[in-house]
Structure formats: structure tokens, C-alpha cells
């Protein structure tokens, strides 16, 4: 039975039952009322006739009695009047009733026997009558003496007629009521349930088949009835969307052909025409520092610069950043600009100057003592100072002003804002230039709402970020966390299928763009690798069979201490490698004005000293810690001669060292990679480790050094193909396409 039919049938039965019961009660009431009425009228009439009749019977005035009986016997509903003597014989009756009372009616006999009035409904010629009989007494004697009975016959057929009418009326009402209720119910069901369920199922189907056309908000879901279902389905959709996005992220990309600097340049020309690209970040790509009498240009350490410099080289444009080098001011023109890189100028670097106080509060304070530990969750407590926050906003305003000035002649410029230092620049820029297309790329992790919520200015930061048209994170997981955070703290409309947020009419798309490197910039092919290895190790004063390499900014999030403890445990556990395996750690000092950075530096140095002291011999040292700034050209040969590279971050947005190593290494090498890096989502052929688990780090080193050559080559081949395809040029193409087509 179909649902609609079942519903109509049940409604019909239900309504019929209810209406029948109520009709029955109502009709019974009416019947009782009519009966009571006829009885009352009969009593009154009998009582009024009684006296005259008694007198006439006692005085045997039969003629008068007959006239009286005839006169009253045909009034309205009173159809018959009959007078009986005490033996039940008719003394007088009107003509209408005569034939019926030829025999003493039972009712009369009963009244004469019991001397008490009686009434009854009877049938005369199939018609309904009400007979009311009273005994009549002579009151001339001292004692009451029964002299006969008076019977009144009232026509009661109208009661049945009335009852029939009532039943008819009620059946009609029942029909009208049933049809109306069924119709209303069907309309209500259609509007509120059928249409909604149909839309919902269509929408779930779209979702299941991956052809999402509409969003949940467009699926009009009315009424509270479906609210629990809607909530459940919304959660389900959210999980499905997240899972799907995650699967998409992890599935290998198959691009038509490789993205190169040249191809990106052509693409940008086609996509943007003559428009320039504007990039804005705290860290500058080239820093000029004094070295004695000379000025040296260095490339600061960090993934941001490594990734974006090739992009700007390919596209030209303006990169606005803080001029942190002590010789930066000397080399810029009157607009604080300089073309970079010095050896082959390809784009413009515009420097912004910060005072010591601004740097202290905006960069060291709010950015790196507040937001950095907040987003990384490596158990370093974030510090939030009001002064730092005020300065952070002021400096963000300064960056935004510089940007606005730079784009003053550009129509709908494309702006790429970088990282957590400039979280509120998107809003500041958007307010002044609504036509600008702004992307904000967040290079570090995004925590869950509970964690982010401890920041006293969480809402302000989110609002600032939502000035962007596009917000990019390295991995889908951070996008999900971000949407959850906005959902928790701001009044906004979140579309979980398309991962977008609408707030006050402005839409921000949130998408993952796993950043990468330019593989060519790191590729190296050493024909005489063994010789070079000997030379490089010789320069470091060691001679070993196996080499491990690590490259990190000295930061507590990088897990350098854990890495050293893993190496120590490896040598304890697998002593056959003492004297045969050395680890070269490049570490560039970073943010040293912050206490935790100085402490981690001391801890790392201490650990390296202790481990070396334990295992070193005259020509053997297990850890070579090269503290200082090292250029890529210096590091790349080490990547290439290494047997393994260890990236042991406790938490890392992406970690480009992992990708640099794959681009530069030889085929017979292994990457040991922390599972807490964004890179681990893509580089599944690395040995994935939990850096908090020292024992597993030791085992991972052993596994890497004893791995079958074929397996190593196979793993490396897969990872290299992946980063060759998913290179920084593809990343830029994706980011720019998403932004320019908004
Ligand atoms: O990758 C995250 C990041 O904070 C970048 O924004 C930055 O350039 C890099 O690390 C290095 O940090 P810093 O600029 O503080 O030296």
C-alpha cells in the first residue's frame, strides 16, 4: 500500500470514528430533549383536562365529554384523546384513535392496575406515537376512588424525522470534514515533507555522485518536523564533504603536462593580461646585510620564501615585505624598492620599515609568541598582550596602506597576502579597494575552535581574514578546522559542500593548496657523487659510510631535539652503526629574541654535545650541528649525498625541506617524515614517524639504512614524480585560477 493511500485511509477511518461517536452523542441528546418535551407537554395537557373530564364522567355528561375529547383530540401533534372507565372500557374517544382502542390498550390496563401515570412510544399504522396515560380519581368521596383513565396520543413521528435529518447532516459534515482534512494534510505533507524530502534526497544523490549543484542552504527545508533529520544530514554531508575533499587531496594529480616557470608565465599573461601580481608578506625574499665593508644579499630561511620566490621570478610583479636587513635601506631607491634577485632582476621588492618597538610587539610578540604557538600546539603556551595586539593591528594597517598605494593605478588587482603576520590585511585592503581580488595563504596549521578560541581577539582575526575572497591552507584538515572556527565564533553562513563562508554579503572561499617547490631549482646530478661526498665529509672532519641530513630553522616546532634523541637511541640500539653513520644538521637561528627559541637552541646544542661525547672517536662524530645561515646552493649537495633525511616536526603546516630533499636526493635515499607535517599527506612513501616516540625514530633510521635498494628507488621515484607534478608552478596556477575566477 502506498504511503499516501495508507495515510488517506487512516485519516478517513480515524475521522469517521471520531465524528460518529460525537454525532451519536449529539443525536441522542437531541432525541432525549424531544422526548422530554413531548412528555412535558403531555403532562401539562393531561393535568389541564383531568378536572373537566372527572366532572363529566362523574355526572355522566357523555355528550360534553365526547365534544371535549373531539375538540382536543386533533390539535397540532395531539392526535388522540380517550377516556376509559375503571374496567378499561372506552367511555369516550375522538374518531382518529377509535379503531386503535377498540381493545383496551396494554398501557391503559397497566395504569388502571397500578394507579400510576405511564407513558410509552408505540406504533400505530407504522407511525410513531407517544401515549401518556393517567389514572383519574373521584375526589367527592373521602377516599380517593379510581374512576377511570385518561390517555393522550401524541404524534411522535417528527422525532424520527428529526433524528434522520440529524444523521444526514452529520454524515454530510463527516464527508466534508474528512475530505477537507485529507486535502489539507496532503497539501501540508506535500509542502513540508514530500518536496523537502525529494529535494533532500536529490541533494544527497548529487553529493553521493559527486555532482553537487546546489548547496544545503538552497534546499528549502521547512518546518521543525524535519529539523532533527536536517541536522543529522547536515553533519553527514559535512563529514562526507570533508572526507571527499581529503580523498581528492590525497589522490595523485594527473596534469596534462608539467607546469614550469615558462608555462606559468604564459598562463599568467593569458589569465591576467597586463596585470601585475602583488604579493605581501612579513618576510622579504632577499635581505641585504652588512659584512664588514661589503653588503651581502642573502635569502632568508623558511618555506614561504623558498616557495614564492620562483613564482615571482616567473610572473614579475611587486612583493611588499618588511626590510629586516641592516643594509636594506642602503640599497633601495627613493620608493624603497629594489629589483631582485640581484643576479637576474625579475620582480620588484618594496620594503616597509618597522621600528624596534613595532618589530618587538607585532613580529616577536603577537605573531610569534601569540599566533605561532597557538596554531602549532606543541605545548608552548601562547602569550597574548594587549600592547602587542594594538601594534599588530597598527603594523597590519601600515602594510595595507603600502599595498593600497602600490595598486592605486591597477584595476581589480590580484593580491596574495601571506601568513599569520598579516591576518587582518585582507579586510583593511578590501575596505579600501573592494574591486581587488584578495587571497590569503596561511602557511602554518590552523587549530580546532577550542584552541583558537583562547586568543582574546579570535573574532577580530577571523573577521580580518574574511576580508579575503580566498583563503588557502596547505591541507584540507586545516580548512575544516577554519570553517569550524568561523562557525563557532562568527555569525555567518557556511557552505560545507563548497567550503565557503558568507558574511555580511561577502563570500570567502576556503581551499587547500598544498604548497611545493620548484623541482628544477633543487635538482642536482652529481656524476662523481662518491668523490664529492668524500670531499664534503672531509671538510667536516668525518669519514663515514652513511649520512643523514636535516635542515631546519631552529624552532621548537621542528622537533630537532627529538631527532637528536632518536639518533642517540639508534646508536644505542644498533651499535653496529657507531662509526658508520653521521647526521648533519643544518640549523638556522630564528626569532632568537624569544625565550623559548633561545632555550631550544641551548637544549639542541647540549644534546648534540652529550651524544657526540658518548659516541665520538678521533675520526668519528655522530652529529654535526651546523648552526648558521646556509644557502640552498650549500645544502643541495648534502641532500644529494645523503642516505636519509629526517624531518621530525612536532607540527608543521607543510614542511618544504621534505620536498626539497626529494627534489635533490639520489635515488638510493630515504625520507623519514613526521606524521604531523602537512607534507605527510602527500609523501606516503616516506617512512612516517611520530617524533614524540623516540624508540620509533631509532627504528626508522635503522629501517632506512637497511632498506632494500629497489624499494628505496621505487619509493623515491613515486615521491619525485609526485612533487614534479605538484610543483610550485601548479600551486600558483591553482591559486590564481581560483582567485581570478571568483
Ligand atoms: O612558514 C612559516 C613562516 O613563519 C613564514 O611566514 C616565515 O617566513 C618562515 O616561517 C620563517 O619565519 P621567520 O620569517 O619568522 O623567520
Amino acid at each position: 500500500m502506498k504511503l499516501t493511500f495508507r495515510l488517506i485511509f487512516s485519516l478517513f477511518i480515524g475521522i469517521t470514528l471520531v465524528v460518529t461517536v460525537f454525532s451519536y452523542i449529539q443525536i441522542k441528546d437531541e432525541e432525549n430533549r424531544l422526548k422530554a418535551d413531548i412528555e412535558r407537554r403531555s403532562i401539562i395537557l393531561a393535568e389541564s383536562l383531568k378536572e373537566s373530564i372527572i366532572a363529566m364522567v362523574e355526572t355522566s355528561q357523555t355528550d360534553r365529554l365526547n365534544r371535549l375529547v373531539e375538540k382536543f383530540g386533533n390539535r397540532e401533534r395531539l392526535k388522540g384523546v380517550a377516556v376509559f372507565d375503571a374496567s378499561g372500557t372506552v367511555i369516550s374517544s375522538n374518531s382518529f384513535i377509535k379503531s386503535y382502542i377498540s381493545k383496551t390498550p396494554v398501557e391503559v390496563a397497566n395504569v388502571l392496575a397500578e394507579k400510576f401515570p405511564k407513558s410509552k412510544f408505540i406504533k400505530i399504522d407504522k407511525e410513531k406515537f407517544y401515549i401518556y396515560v393517567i389514572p383519574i380519581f373521584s375526589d367527592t368521596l373521602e377516599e380517593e376512588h379510581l374512576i377511570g383513565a385518561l390517555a393522550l396520543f401524541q404524534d411522535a413521528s417528527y422525532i424520527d424525522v428529526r433524528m434522520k435529518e440529524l444523521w444526514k447532516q452529520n454524515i454530510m459534515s463527516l464527508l466534508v470534514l474528512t475530505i477537507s482534512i485529507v486535502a489539507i494534510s496532503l497539501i501540508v505533507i506535500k509542502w513540508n515533507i514530500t518536496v523537502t524530502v525529494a529535494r533532500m534526497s536529490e541533494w544527497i544523490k548529487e553529493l553521493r555522485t559527486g555532482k553537487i549543484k546546489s548547496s544545503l542552504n538552497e534546499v528549502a527545508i521547512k518546518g521543525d518536523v524535519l529539523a532533527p533529520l536536517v541536522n543529522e544530514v547536515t553533519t553527514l554531508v559535512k563529514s562526507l564533504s570533508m572526507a571527499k575533499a581529503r580523498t581528492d587531496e590525497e589522490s595523485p594529480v594527473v596534469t596534462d603536462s608539467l607546469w614550469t616557470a615558462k608555462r606559468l608565465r604564459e598562463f599568467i599573461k593569458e589569465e591576467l593580461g597586463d596585470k601585475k601580481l602583488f604579493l605581501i608578506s612579513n618576510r622579504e625574499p632577499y635581505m641585504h646585510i652588512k659584512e664588514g665593508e661589503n653588503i651581502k644579499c642573502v635569502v632568508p630561511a623558511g618555506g614561504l620564501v623558498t616557495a614564492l620566490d620562483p613564482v615571482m621570478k616567473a610572473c614579475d610583479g611587486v612583493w611588499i615585505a618588511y626590510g629586516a636587513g641592516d643594509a636594506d635601506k642602503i640599497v633601495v631607491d627613493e620608493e624603497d624598492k629594489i629589483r631582485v634577485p640581484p643576479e637576474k632582476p625579475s620582480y620588484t621588492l618594496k620594503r616597509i620599515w618597522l621600528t624596534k618597538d613595532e618589530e618587538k610587539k607585532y613580529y616577536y610578540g603577537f605573531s610569534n609568541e601569540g599566533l605561532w604557538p597557538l596554531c602549532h600546539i606543541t605545548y608552548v603556551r601562547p602569550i597574548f598582550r594587549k600592547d602587542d595586539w594594538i601594534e599588530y593591528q597598527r603594523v597590519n594597517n601600515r602594510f595595507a596602506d603600502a599595498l593600497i598605494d602600490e595598486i592605486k593605478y591597477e584595476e581589480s588587482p590580484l593580491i596574495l597576502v601571506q601568513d599569520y603576520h598579516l591576518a587582518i590585511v585582507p579586510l583593511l585592503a578590501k575596505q579600501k579597494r573592494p574591486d581587488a581580488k584578495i587571497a590569503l595563504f596561511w602557511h602554518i596549521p590552523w587549530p580546532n575552535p577550542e584552541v583558537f578560541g583562547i586568543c582574546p581577539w579570535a573574532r577580530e582575526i577571523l573577521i580580518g581574514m574574511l576580508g579575503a575572497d580566498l583563503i588557502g591552507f596547505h591541507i584540507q584538515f586545516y580548512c575544516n578546522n577554519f570553517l569550524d572556527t568561523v562557525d563557532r565564533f562568527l555569525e555567518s553562513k557556511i557552505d560545507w559542500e563548497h567550503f565557503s563562508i558568507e558574511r555580511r554579503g561577502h563570500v570567502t572561499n576556503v581551499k587547500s593548496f598544498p604548497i611545493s617547490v620548484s623541482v628544477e631549482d633543487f635538482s642536482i646530478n652529481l656524476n662523481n657523487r662518491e668523490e664529492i661526498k668524500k670531499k664534503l665529509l672531509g671538510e667536516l672532519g668525518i669519514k663515514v659510510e652513511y649520512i643523514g641530513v636535516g635542515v631546519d630553522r631552529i624552532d621548537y616546532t621542528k622537533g630537532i631535539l627529538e631527532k637528536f634523541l632518536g639518533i642517540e637511541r639508534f646508536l644505542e640500539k644498533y651499535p653496529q652503526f657507531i662509526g658508520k653513520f653521521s647526521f648533519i644538521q643544518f640549523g638556522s637561528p630564528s626569532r632568537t629574541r624569544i625565550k623559548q627559541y633561545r632555550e631550544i637552541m641551548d637544549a639542541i646544542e647540549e644534546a648534540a654535545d652529550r651524544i657526540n661525547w658518548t659516541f665520538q672517536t678521533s675520526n668519528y662524530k655522530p652529529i654535526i650541528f651546523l648552526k648558521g645561515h646556509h644557502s640552498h646552493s650549500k645544502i643541495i649537495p648534502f641532500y644529494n649525498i645523503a642516505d636519509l633525511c629526517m624531518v621530525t616536526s612536532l607540527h608543521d603546516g607543510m614542511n618544504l625541506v621534505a620536498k626539497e630533499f626529494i627534489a635533490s636526493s639520489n635515488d638510493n635515499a630515504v625520507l623519514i617524515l613526521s606524521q604531523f607535517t602537512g607534507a605527510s599527506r602527500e609523501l606516503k612513501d616516506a617512512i612516517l614517524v611520530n617524533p614524540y616516540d623516540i624508540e620509533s625514530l631509532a627504528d626508522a633510521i635503522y629501517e632506512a639504512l637497511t632498506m632494500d635498494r629497489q624499494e628505496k628507488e621505487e619509493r623515491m621515484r613515486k615521491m619525485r614524480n609526485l612533487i614534479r607534478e605538484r610543483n610550485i608552478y601548479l600551486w600558483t596556477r591553482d591559486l590564481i585560477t581560483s582567485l581570478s575566477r571568483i
Side-chain angles (χ1 to χ4, degrees):
M1 227 191 308
K2 277 179 78 179
L3 178 70
T4 329
F5 182 72
R6 254 192 346 243
L7 193 82
I8 295 173
F9 184 72
S10 340
L11 277 174
F12 186 77
I13 296 291
I15 297 166
T16 306
L17 275 175
V18 173
V19 172
T20 308
V21 169
F22 278 104
S23 302
Y24 179 78
I25 294 170
Q26 183 201 358
I27 289 167
K28 262 289 157 216
D29 276 355
E30 178 68 2
E31 191 179 12
N32 290 339
R33 191 187 65 73
L34 292 173
K35 282 180 178 173
D37 181 58
I38 204 169
E39 186 174 16
R40 188 180 45 77
R41 280 191 285 111
S42 301
I43 292 169
I44 295 169
L45 196 62
E47 286 303 318
S48 63
L49 286 175
K50 192 170 90 179
E51 294 307 315
S52 318
I53 288 173
I54 290 171
M56 289 177 200
V57 171
E58 277 178 342
T59 53
S60 302
Q61 297 178 53
T62 317
D63 284 349
R64 274 190 71 199
L65 184 62
N66 284 344
R67 279 201 303 279
L68 180 81
V69 165
E70 200 61 52
K71 182 178 161 198
F72 279 94
N74 205 3
R75 282 191 168 190
E76 294 175 5
R77 291 193 182 127
L78 182 64
K79 292 291 181 204
V81 177
V83 181
F84 298 84
D85 65 12
S87 65
T89 310
V90 181
I91 304 170
S92 178
S93 75
N94 65 332
S95 44
F96 178 79
I97 208 72
K98 207 159 252 156
S99 60
Y100 177 70
I101 55 168
S102 52
K103 275 198 312 193
T104 313
V106 192
E107 296 77 20
V108 174
N110 288 343
V111 168
L112 289 173
E114 291 170 27
K115 298 179 184 166
F116 201 77
K118 281 195 185 299
S119 64
K120 198 177 177 188
F121 284 92
I122 56 167
K123 287 268 177 196
I124 301 175
D125 293 338
K126 294 185 185 159
E127 292 294 325
K128 188 174 186 156
F129 278 85
Y130 178 72
I131 174 168
Y132 182 68
V133 189
I134 57 166
I136 49 177
F137 299 95
S138 158
D139 52 359
T140 51
L141 301 168
E142 278 170 18
E143 241 181 82
E144 257 191 356
H145 172 64
L146 180 72
I147 58 169
L150 167 64
L152 302 178
F153 293 83
Q154 301 259 21
D155 179 3
S157 57
Y158 74 94
I159 295 180
D160 283 352
V161 172
R162 177 81 187 120
M163 291 304 102
K164 268 187 201 149
E165 263 173 20
L166 274 178
W167 272 117
K168 250 196 227 160
Q169 271 174 15
N170 280 17
I171 287 169
M172 282 310 288
S173 321
L174 168 75
L175 280 176
V176 172
L177 197 69
T178 313
I179 292 168
S180 321
I181 292 181
V182 167
I184 292 169
S185 308
L186 287 177
I187 292 169
V188 169
I189 289 168
K190 186 107 185 134
W191 273 355
N192 288 283
I193 301 176
T194 320
V195 172
T196 312
V197 169
R199 283 188 194 162
M200 214 170 198
S201 55
E202 181 58 27
W203 172 66
I204 293 173
K205 191 172 150 204
E206 282 176 13
L207 195 76
R208 181 172 52 78
T209 52
K211 299 173 194 150
I212 302 165
K213 283 180 248 140
S214 49
S215 78
L216 180 60
N217 303 324
E218 288 158 29
V219 181
I221 293 171
K222 299 167 192 160
D224 295 340
V225 201
L226 289 177
L229 183 65
V230 171
N231 285 345
E232 277 311 306
V233 174
T234 311
T235 315
L236 183 75
V237 168
K238 191 171 141 182
S239 316
L240 274 176
S241 302
M242 285 178 173
K244 190 176 170 300
R246 174 106 186 253
T247 319
D248 290 350
E249 177 184 68
E250 288 179 5
S251 60
V253 268
V254 184
T255 47
D256 33 2
S257 64
L258 231 49
W259 277 80
T260 57
K262 182 166 173 273
R263 191 164 170 207
L264 180 67
R265 204 173 302 125
E266 283 159 8
F267 163 79
I268 299 266
K269 206 156 185 62
E270 206 173 291
E271 193 73 18
L272 310 184
D274 288 334
K275 276 186 201 159
K276 275 190 275 180
L277 209 55
F278 295 88
L279 195 148
I280 174 163
S281 71
N282 170 72
R283 183 58 67 205
E284 57 183 339
Y286 295 93
M287 187 190 270
H288 289 87
I289 48 174
K290 289 180 190 158
E291 209 176 47
E293 291 294 291
N294 300 325
I295 290 177
K296 191 175 145 192
C297 181
V298 296
V299 177
L304 187 152
V305 167
T306 308
L308 296 171
D309 178 54
V311 173
M312 291 303 278
K313 278 183 192 158
C315 310
D316 202 341
V318 182
W319 184 326
I320 303 170
Y322 161 46
D326 56 9
D328 275 352
K329 270 194 184 151
I330 304 173
V331 295
V332 292
D333 63 16
E334 63 286 357
E335 283 185 78
D336 300 325
K337 288 179 182 168
I338 178 171
R339 292 286 288 174
V340 285
E343 64 282 2
K344 192 183 175 201
S346 317
Y347 65 94
T348 305
L349 169 63
K350 171 167 171 96
R351 287 176 170 147
I352 302 236
W353 314 115
L354 298 181
T355 64
K356 282 258 172 300
D357 195 50
E358 283 171 336
E359 190 182 12
K360 180 177 160 221
K361 292 172 180 164
Y362 140 80
Y363 172 74
Y364 287 109
F366 195 73
S367 300
N368 287 315
E369 287 190 287
L371 291 178
W372 178 270
L374 178 76
C375 291
H376 279 88
I377 328 173
T378 51
Y379 309 101
V380 169
R381 198 180 168 132
I383 301 170
F384 296 108
R385 303 179 194 93
K386 181 94 194 281
D387 277 1
D388 291 353
W389 166 238
I390 292 172
E391 207 55 58
Y392 180 88
Q393 295 174 83
R394 211 175 280 151
V395 173
N396 269 243
N397 258 297
R398 295 205 31 216
F399 271 94
D401 288 346
L403 173 71
I404 295 298
D405 186 50
E406 211 52 47
I407 60 176
K408 59 178 178 270
Y409 302 118
E410 303 280 329
E411 217 179 282
S412 306
L414 243 62
I415 297 161
L416 308 181
V417 182
Q418 304 300 316
D419 233 349
Y420 59 99
H421 313 88
L422 304 176
I424 61 172
V425 164
L427 182 71
L428 299 171
K430 196 73 174 182
Q431 281 168 346
K432 291 190 179 145
R433 286 294 302 269
D435 65 316
K437 290 186 174 178
I438 306 176
L440 167 66
F441 194 81
W442 199 262
H443 288 257
I444 62 175
W446 188 275
N448 62 39
E450 288 73 29
V451 170
F452 195 77
I454 68 169
C455 173
W457 302 285
R459 289 189 81 253
E460 287 82 346
I461 289 171
L462 293 172
I463 292 170
M465 292 173 75
L466 290 180
D469 301 290
L470 176 67
I471 299 181
F473 292 93
H474 288 303
I475 59 172
Q476 187 59 40
F477 181 62
Y478 303 149
C479 298
N480 300 345
N481 278 351
F482 181 74
L483 258 64
D484 270 338
T485 310
V486 173
D487 203 12
R488 180 77 59 88
F489 294 105
L490 296 183
E491 196 61 46
S492 61
K493 210 158 93 186
I494 299 196
D495 180 342
W496 279 99
E497 296 111 67
H498 303 104
F499 290 94
S500 64
I501 300 160
E502 190 185 331
R503 187 171 180 276
R504 302 200 172 158
H506 179 250
V507 176
T508 304
N509 291 294
V510 179
K511 207 166 175 274
S512 71
F513 299 93
I515 209 162
S516 195
V517 290
S518 158
V519 179
E520 301 78 63
D521 290 355
F522 288 90
S523 297
I524 177 171
N525 195 7
L526 301 178
N527 295 326
N528 45 353
R529 183 176 304 120
E530 276 312 310
E531 261 173 52
I532 291 181
K533 179 175 174 181
K534 224 193 237 168
K535 182 176 161 273
L536 290 174
L537 297 188
E539 281 165 13
L540 296 173
I542 50 169
K543 193 175 168 214
V544 283
E545 206 173 319
Y546 304 107
I547 286 290
V549 69
V551 180
D552 296 283
R553 251 186 332 101
I554 300 177
D555 192 302
Y556 52 81
T557 61
K558 299 292 180 186
I560 305 170
L561 185 60
E562 287 72 8
K563 191 179 334 192
F564 287 0
L565 297 179
I567 293 165
E568 179 181 33
R569 182 72 193 118
F570 163 72
L571 294 174
E572 285 167 1
K573 212 169 167 183
Y574 306 100
Q576 65 272 32
F577 285 95
I578 299 173
K580 291 188 180 164
F581 173 76
S582 285
F583 192 85
I584 302 165
Q585 174 68 46
F586 293 91
S588 49
S590 173
R591 308 172 192 168
T592 44
R593 303 199 68 76
I594 299 173
K595 190 169 138 258
Q596 283 85 358
Y597 283 79
R598 291 195 298 272
E599 284 173 357
I600 195 70
M601 171 85 87
D602 291 346
I604 291 166
E605 281 180 322
E606 241 176 72
D609 277 355
R610 181 174 50 76
I611 297 164
N612 282 340
W613 185 80
T614 311
F615 297 102
Q616 76 189 6
T617 59
S618 56
N619 60 353
Y620 175 66
K621 218 175 171 188
I623 295 175
I624 292 102
F625 181 35
L626 301 174
K627 193 172 96 179
H629 183 80
H630 306 280
S631 65
H632 283 141
S633 55
K634 172 153 186 211
I635 294 167
I636 289 171
F638 283 94
Y639 280 147
N640 192 266
I641 62 162
D643 297 279
L644 61 88
C645 172
M646 284 181 89
V647 173
T648 51
S649 308
L650 305 179
H651 202 181
D652 216 329
M654 172 54 74
N655 193 289
L656 286 185
V657 167
K659 295 188 176 182
E660 290 170 12
F661 174 69
I662 290 166
S664 302
S665 73
N666 70 79
D667 291 347
N668 190 23
V670 177
L671 171 66
I672 297 174
L673 178 62
S674 161
Q675 66 193 67
F676 306 124
T677 57
S680 69
R681 308 281 165 133
E682 294 174 283
L683 304 176
K684 300 273 185 214
D685 283 290
I687 299 180
L688 296 181
V689 289
N690 170 1
Y692 290 95
D693 181 356
I694 303 301
E695 205 66 23
S696 81
L697 287 183
D699 292 339
I701 300 172
Y702 180 77
E703 188 189 341
L705 294 181
T706 54
M707 190 183 280
D708 178 59
R709 181 175 183 132
Q710 209 182 329
E711 186 181 346
K712 285 195 224 174
E713 285 178 358
E714 179 65 10
R715 285 175 180 238
M716 194 50 81
R717 187 186 52 76
K718 282 200 213 155
M719 291 193 285
R720 200 168 288 142
N721 283 347
L722 189 123
I723 63 155
R724 194 172 283 138
E725 275 193 2
R726 290 192 179 187
N727 59 29
I728 188 64
Y729 304 114
L730 178 70
W731 179 89
T732 316
R733 193 277 313 253
D734 288 349
L735 187 78
I736 292 196
T737 310
S738 301
L739 183 63
S740 68
R741 296 192 182 164
I742 273 170

